[in-house]
Amino acid sequence: MKRISLTQHLVEEQRLHHSITAELRLLIEVVASACKHISHSVGKGALGDVLGTAHSENVQGEVQKKLDVISNEILLEANEWGGHLAAMASEEMETIHPIPHRYPMGEYMLLFDPLDGSSNIDVNVSIGTIFSVLKAPEGMTTPLEKDFLQAGCNQVAAGYAVYGPQTLLVLTTGNGVNCFTLNRETGSWILTERHMMIPVETKEFAINASNARHWHPPVQRYINELLAGSEGPRGHNFNMRWIASMVADVHRILCRGGIFMYPADARDPDKPGKLRLMYEANPMAFIVEQAGGAATNGNQRILDIVPEKLHQRVPVFLGSKAEVELVTSYHRV
Ligand code: AHG
Ligand code: MN
Ligand code: MN
């Protein structure tokens, strides 16, 4: 098979399929290049002094790791000057980051989780970057937080990079899901899988089971049925996996099916789940739907939720369609 690069793939999308604009192509290439840069920093580990804490907290009160801060800086710097963006928003910044006046302003807005799976950094387990692209509202002159508060179905592109045994970039522009592998010798992203589709049949689920005692009844019921295995109502055994990096868990599901859950629970009503809607759940939901799967918050499609706040959290059920539909139906009874 003749291998093509990310650049060639994007040029084809723009020229042959007219599914992306030249500006969006540039944006994706810049994000991909920033992910390559992050991948290099991640790979240095202790030799590059990138492990451990940054001794600071983000807006969600989480202690920042050095790599959270480094990755955020890399994405900000890479995306400021190209003229393709109006503003950016990040898990690691309380408010939005408008493009400085010295640079031209573009029509897109970029949101990212610069480093996903932070608890895995220091133990050398897969981590990643998640991003989402929206269009600035018509007539916007000065970007404000409210301009970002669009439902996920408005996304024009979304993707994630996984920094694992291989460095991968998984991307959708609303025309299926494609996977690129970083050639570490040449520095190019090479298309290695076209039109990824989530397998329909699944025997795997992912949830942090240490929270089981806090789960609401629909989640208790669904998980108990899976755990009952061949003797239970499902009639076969299921296997459980939890990497604690959403990127790595979602990537596994894209490759071999399954369901990923981070539900709301009975602990803190102001914290509905752990994951953030705009830069974790939305981009992953877009990718999963484009790969034939489904993503809900237990009640509705994640992509239909109109955000109220930049950093709002949302319960997440995503992956193989039948499983997501089943656990969602348990919330309705
Ligand atoms: P982040 O590192 O960006 O804060 O995200 C971590 C998220 C997600 O990647 C993962 O699925 C989940 O937190 C893990 O949560 P637990 O610590 O409860 O396992
Ligand atoms: Mn994250
Ligand atoms: Mn993060």
Side-chain angles (χ1 to χ4, degrees):
M1 179 183 120
K2 187 182 170 297
R3 298 221 180 265
I4 65 164
S5 67
L6 173 68
T7 304
Q8 200 174 342
H9 169 80
L10 292 173
V11 167
E12 282 176 10
E13 291 255 302
Q14 182 194 338
R15 205 189 282 155
L16 304 179
H17 310 294
H18 304 288
S19 55
I20 56 169
T21 61
E23 229 183 41
L24 183 56
R25 174 162 70 83
L26 174 66
L27 190 167
I28 294 168
E29 292 221 51
V30 171
V31 171
S33 152
C35 290
K36 189 182 352 178
H37 193 157
I38 296 171
S39 171
H40 288 151
S41 292
V42 167
K44 286 181 188 160
L47 301 178
D49 192 25
V50 298
L51 305 182
T53 163
H55 301 289
S56 51
E57 270 191 8
N58 66 14
V59 60
Q60 8 240 334
E62 297 160 343
V63 175
Q64 291 177 305
K65 300 280 185 150
K66 282 185 195 164
L67 267 174
D68 289 321
V69 176
I70 294 169
S71 308
N72 194 54
E73 284 301 316
I74 290 174
L75 280 157
L76 288 180
E77 272 175 34
N79 282 286
E80 266 186 353
W81 49 268
H84 49 283
L85 284 180
M88 292 180 256
S90 160
E91 178 191 347
E92 305 303 338
M93 300 185 299
E94 182 166 4
T95 54
I96 66 161
H97 179 92
I99 295 301
H101 290 302
R102 61 183 182 279
Y103 300 121
M105 193 170 107
E107 59 175 332
Y108 293 101
M109 301 190 299
L110 175 68
L111 297 106
F112 44 82
D113 174 355
L115 208 290
D116 176 67
S118 303
S119 71
N120 284 324
I121 295 172
D122 296 344
V123 291
N124 197 20
V125 172
S126 294
I127 49 183
T129 296
I130 311 173
F131 68 93
S132 160
V133 184
L134 292 165
K135 264 191 121 170
E138 219 42 54
M140 184 195 80
T141 45
T142 309
L144 299 170
E145 184 170 316
K146 71 168 174 45
D147 299 312
F148 279 84
L149 304 182
Q150 306 179 32
C153 54
N154 285 357
Q155 291 171 103
V156 292
Y160 62 81
V162 195
Y163 314 117
Q166 303 119 46
T167 295
L168 303 179
L169 182 73
V170 172
L171 177 70
T172 186
T173 54
N175 191 18
V177 178
N178 295 299
C179 180
F180 303 83
T181 304
L182 181 64
N183 179 326
R184 287 173 173 152
E185 277 87 54
T186 63
S188 322
W189 291 103
I190 306 295
L191 178 61
T192 43
E193 202 173 341
R194 271 183 205 273
H195 287 295
M196 295 181 86
M197 292 301 285
I198 297 180
V200 179
E201 291 290 313
T202 177
K203 293 189 172 126
E204 281 186 349
F205 66 101
I207 192 163
N208 182 343
S210 69
N211 299 324
R213 69 192 187 282
H214 306 295
W215 293 337
H216 294 307
V219 178
Q220 301 267 9
R221 173 182 171 194
Y222 176 71
I223 299 294
N224 283 338
E225 289 179 3
L226 301 184
L227 293 176
S230 54
E231 289 103 67
R234 300 300 302 270
H236 61 258
N237 295 330
F238 284 81
N239 199 359
M240 189 175 81
R241 287 284 182 274
W242 185 252
I243 300 173
S245 292
M246 188 191 202
V247 279
D249 278 312
V250 169
H251 190 68
R252 183 191 60 255
I253 287 170
L254 228 59
C255 294
R256 64 178 196 210
I259 177 167
F260 169 94
M261 290 158 278
Y262 214 117
D265 62 35
R267 278 174 291 181
D268 181 354
D270 293 333
K271 240 179 154 190
K274 180 177 186 188
L275 301 172
R276 278 59 53 114
L277 173 62
M278 297 211 65
Y279 41 81
E280 291 179 316
N282 270 344
M284 290 311 200
F286 188 20
I287 291 167
V288 163
E289 285 199 4
Q290 284 289 315
T296 77
N297 67 354
N299 288 304
Q300 66 176 137
R301 187 177 170 232
I302 284 177
L303 295 181
D304 286 336
I305 300 172
V306 179
E308 287 166 9
K309 283 188 284 187
L310 193 58
H311 297 289
Q312 102 183 41
R313 293 173 197 263
V314 67
V316 173
F317 302 86
L318 63 75
S320 295
K321 205 173 194 165
E323 294 301 321
V324 174
E325 282 172 357
L326 183 62
V327 68
T328 304
S329 75
Y330 288 1
H331 287 75
R332 296 207 182 100
V333 292

